[in-house]
Amino acid sequence: MNSEDAPSIVVGIDGSPGSRSALSWAVDEATMRDLPLDLVHAWRPMFRATTDDALDPNLIAQTHGDALLAAAAGQVKVSAPTVSSRTWLVKGRPSEALLSAATGAYLLVVGSRGAGGFRGMQLGSVGLHAVAHASCSVAIVRARPRAKGAVVVGIDGSLVSRNVLAVAAEEAVLRRSPLVVLWALYVHPIAEGVPDQESALTSLQAIAHETLQPLIKDVSRLHPEVDVRTSLPTGYPAEVLTTASATAQLLVVGSHGGGAFSGMRLGSISHALAHEAHCPLVVARPTP
């Protein structure tokens, strides 16, 4: 779907408040990165109970989709005249349409829940499917994202930490915001085979400090303008990062950490944050 040389930022459009927030966030991201936008709406064939062409539900669904995409494209043109955008009306399931559109993309942006979500739902099925299966990084945007605050990145010293940290550092540069590198130190309970809690925590702290030093050094060398801060709180990573997201402008994590098994697309921590993070969340995967 992406024929231009530059990879695009793909946005799911369905007219919901979450979709509108996702579009606004994506426009800002596209402006900062000088990337084009692909606006995608999927419609699904419905049962036709009448022969009246004027009441054909499939035609109504397509017409509605065209109107939503036209409105979204108009918003891009008004708010960011320098950003190029294309619209795609796709027949099929929304999750499948977005994953297909995101092949080769720089980033896929979705609202926390779409038009089909029920009240109180933190993350819709389309958003969860996208963040679990997309080949590119995915941003989940909740209503009214915060304009100020630090970019917080959660790492654990695993092999993906360097890539996740690089993504977060770029976001901090673009936003001219501080970068908080957060490593949650979690000691498993005695019942899980860790009898000496104090010694285990001391060992974890030493490992984290030793691992962080070269990573932070690289970030400071590549992005000397970024105010890099480190934080090593004690606690379960999902809970610690959720708390940090309450005052952050953006939270960045990897799709899975050091505890994931081979072939795992989305780890338990990323899965929890996709549901609970208070600010926009970027689940980073290597750039294609």
Side-chain angles (χ1 to χ4, degrees):
M1 183 173 287
N2 304 309
S3 59
E4 297 181 358
D5 292 337
S8 67
I9 294 176
V10 177
V11 193
I13 304 295
D14 69 0
S16 66
S19 170
R20 292 193 292 270
S21 295
L23 176 60
S24 295
W25 190 91
V27 168
D28 290 341
E29 190 77 5
T31 301
M32 291 186 291
R33 292 188 176 277
D34 192 23
L35 291 177
L37 285 172
D38 279 327
L39 313 177
V40 180
H41 175 80
W43 68 277
R44 299 179 66 179
M46 293 180 285
F47 175 73
R48 183 172 180 175
T50 175
T51 57
D52 187 346
D53 291 338
L55 299 177
D56 182 352
N58 293 324
L59 179 59
I60 292 173
Q62 293 177 64
T63 302
H64 178 65
D66 277 327
L68 290 176
L69 289 172
Q75 180 180 332
V76 174
K77 187 174 183 179
V78 170
S79 60
T82 62
V83 173
S84 63
S85 66
R86 297 175 295 185
T87 60
W88 303 89
L89 183 63
V90 183
K91 178 182 178 181
R93 297 176 63 88
S95 56
E96 294 174 356
L98 288 174
L99 292 179
S100 177
T103 301
Y106 175 79
L107 181 68
L108 170 60
V109 184
V110 295
S112 56
R113 60 188 178 94
F118 54 82
R119 185 178 297 275
M121 192 177 189
Q122 294 298 308
L123 180 66
S125 59
V126 173
L128 182 58
H129 196 82
V131 76
H133 297 287
S135 57
C136 64
S137 298
V138 179
I140 299 175
V141 182
R142 304 194 185 282
R144 297 184 298 277
R146 195 172 294 103
K148 296 182 179 180
V151 172
V152 176
V153 55
I155 66 171
D156 63 0
S158 61
L159 293 176
V160 301
S161 292
R162 188 176 295 275
N163 174 69
V164 174
L165 187 53
V167 171
E170 285 187 7
E171 294 290 351
V173 170
L174 293 172
R175 288 168 169 73
R176 300 180 181 179
S177 68
L179 175 63
V180 177
V181 183
L182 192 154
W183 186 326
L185 304 177
Y186 177 64
V187 177
H188 290 269
I190 296 174
E192 294 183 11
V194 185
D196 191 340
Q197 299 281 290
E198 187 175 343
S199 294
L201 179 59
T202 300
S203 178
L204 273 176
Q205 289 171 332
I207 292 171
H209 280 294
E210 183 179 357
T211 306
L212 275 173
Q213 189 173 7
L215 293 175
I216 300 302
K217 186 177 180 179
D218 283 348
V219 171
S220 298
R221 176 178 57 83
L222 294 171
H223 306 290
E225 71 275 33
V226 177
D227 176 15
V228 184
R229 309 165 187 175
T230 58
S231 176
L232 279 74
T234 303
Y236 187 64
E239 295 176 355
V240 170
L241 288 166
T242 298
T243 299
S245 73
T247 56
Q249 180 180 169
L250 179 69
L251 176 61
V252 183
V253 296
S255 56
H256 53 74
F261 56 81
S262 178
M264 192 174 190
R265 295 293 298 168
L266 189 67
S268 60
I269 306 302
S270 302
H271 183 279
L273 292 169
H275 286 275
E276 301 296 338
H278 300 292
C279 67
L281 169 72
V282 170
V283 178
R285 290 190 172 91
T287 304

